[in-house]
Amino acid sequence: MPKQKLFTIKDLKKKSFSLILSGGSSLGLTHIGIIEFLEENNLKPSEIIGTSMGSVIGALYAIGNTSDTIKEKLEGLKTQDLFEIKYLQGRIEYKKAKNLLKEMFHNKKIADTKIPLKIIATNIKDGEKKIFSAKENLLIYDTVLASIAIPGILTAKKIKQETFIDGCVSSNLPVEVAKKENIKLAINAINQKTKNYQYRNPKKGFFNNLVTKFTILRNVSRYYIEDQTETKIPTISKLILIEPNLKRFNPYKIINYKEIAKAGYMEIKKYFDDAAKTVRKKQKKKTTTPLEKIITFPITEAKKILKDARKLSPSRAPTGK
């Protein structure tokens, strides 16, 4: 992968930047920590692009929520409060999750956001990426449901006679959707650091067998998503890629949202701290004065200079015996 240029906080204040938030189930809650860092440094993106969980967090941010108010909405929530496994039907019911999303977004449309928003879903007919934006007169609620519809698990979403599933199928980290002239601040929750794949033979019993098969399906989909992302990253210019280490977290447990968010905060902070140090070092080299160079010159080199200077000085008068 080609080495990307380092950008500083000052760069993001001077130039427009896009905030790209990936999918990743509960791991996508790491985006809350990213928003917290942006708030602390008075940074505001010119657009937000989100897939799956990234669309949920991105949309909440776009309509005016802060990192604190988003955390408040998650306080006390557990996965079982939102989803119910329908074993005999082989699917997951998420009526409660839908109700929560409805409470979050009400009847707001994508055109109503304070920051321009793009939500990514996948057209089930041809597998092509669908970009929902302000130019379409659609509710945020509907487009988010389309973006989070995990194929084969959550119900696909029908919008204007077309059916959509999770955006992760076509573009889990939609960096290619950002404005070309913008700096792209991309947060990738599903990355090499989060790999924690362990295969176990299915245990006896319907439930255990179902869990094992679901785990295998999840792992296969993650292989696909990682490859999909890694293939396009080298083609994107002006990219800041933030990949938090979320290996220790269960991607289906919401209860750890504070720790997951903190991991995102620490990762983006590390990037900009390192970038600032690198820039300071480069500036120091450029601004070193001739006197500073002499002072900091190695002693061995200084001795050599003195020796050469003596050779060039007038010869001493010969002494008589």
Side-chain angles (χ1 to χ4, degrees), residues 230-264:
E230 289 175 9
T231 300
K232 63 184 172 185
I233 287 301
T235 67
I236 305 300
S237 62
K238 300 180 182 178
L239 177 67
I240 300 173
L241 182 61
I242 306 297
E243 296 187 311
N245 187 343
L246 305 169
K247 186 177 181 178
R248 67 187 184 278
F249 301 110
N250 186 320
Y252 301 105
K253 284 191 175 180
I254 299 171
I255 199 167
N256 296 319
Y257 72 92
K258 287 182 181 178
E259 290 82 2
I260 296 172
K262 186 177 180 181

Side-chain angles (χ1 to χ4, degrees), residues 28-67:
L29 297 173
T30 199
H31 303 320
I32 302 170
I34 303 300
I35 293 169
E36 183 179 349
F37 181 86
L38 296 180
E39 290 168 342
E40 285 183 1
N41 291 279
N42 296 313
L43 296 170
K44 186 178 179 180
S46 64
E47 64 173 355
I48 300 169
I49 307 163
T51 293
S52 202
M53 182 59 84
S55 74
V56 178
I57 303 301
L60 285 171
Y61 183 36
I63 64 175
N65 281 278
T66 65
S67 58

